[in-house]
Amino acid sequence: MRTTTVKLYSLEYNQLRTYLAVTLFVAGNIILPQLCHLVPQGGIRWLPIYFFTLVGAYKYGWKVGLLTALVSPLVNSALFGMPAVAVLPAVLLKSVLLAVAAGYAATRFRRASLVLLVGVVLFYQIVGTLGEWMLEGSFYVALQDFRIGLPGMLIQVLGGWLFINHIIRK
């Protein structure tokens, strides 16, 4: 088995590259959900709003991830009404948890493996589900991502790994 080194970055708020990266990842988090929403239940099944937050935070650091996590759902909600304002707090909570977890894992382990990405996705989903349960007051509603969104979680792990390790070279 061959080991390859992946370049992971930690961009700062005072760098232009940070805002360029955030702009690209937010654009991805706008386009991908629109494509997924063409299919019935595409948003809740494929969880597309989290994909580029994961990639951005892991590849370019938690600061890029955090900005992407906050801006993407707000812009999508303002422009397209999805996520709906009622579920925006839960989506923002999960997005922020994802950005922090991905940024931490990248900094701590300095590599992007499938096992690490599974851990990141499970962390934000489990902790986010508990937070959503507190926000919504319904455990059944909070479990929606686990009941319906497993394909999206798998795409986040596999697609995220491909993007981080092979598609984004720099």
Side-chain angles (χ1 to χ4, degrees), residues 19-131:
Y19 298 97
L20 292 173
V22 169
T23 301
L24 289 173
F25 291 126
V26 168
N29 274 347
I30 291 171
I31 294 167
L32 187 59
Q34 291 309 305
L35 293 173
C36 288
H37 284 294
L38 295 174
V39 177
Q41 288 194 325
I44 58 176
R45 174 163 288 120
W46 300 109
L47 306 172
I49 194 126
Y50 303 114
F51 184 78
F52 287 104
T53 301
L54 169 66
V55 173
Y58 214 102
K59 186 74 176 183
Y60 295 102
W62 69 269
K63 293 174 183 172
V64 168
L66 185 61
L67 287 173
T68 305
L70 293 170
V71 173
S72 296
L74 294 172
V75 169
N76 270 300
S77 184
L79 292 178
F80 306 106
M82 290 189 239
V85 174
V87 296
L88 206 48
V91 171
L92 285 167
L93 171 66
K94 286 184 177 182
S95 291
V96 168
L97 288 169
L98 173 58
V100 171
Y104 173 79
T107 301
R108 171 74 172 86
F109 298 103
R110 302 300 305 162
R111 61 188 170 86
S113 69
L114 289 172
V115 171
L116 286 172
L117 290 171
V118 165
V120 166
V121 169
L122 285 177
F123 170 80
Y124 97 83
Q125 281 293 344
I126 291 169
V127 175
T129 294
L130 294 174

Side-chain angles (χ1 to χ4, degrees), residues 5 12-13 18 25 28 44 47 61 63 66 68 72 77 85 90 93 105 130 135 138 153 155 158 163 166-167:
T5 303
E12 299 295 327
Y13 287 130
T18 300
F25 291 126
I44 58 176
L47 306 172
K63 293 174 183 172
L66 185 61
T68 305
S72 296
S77 184
V85 174
L93 171 66
L130 294 174
L135 289 168
S138 169
M153 288 185 230
I155 294 293
L158 296 173
F163 259 80
H166 298 292
I167 295 172

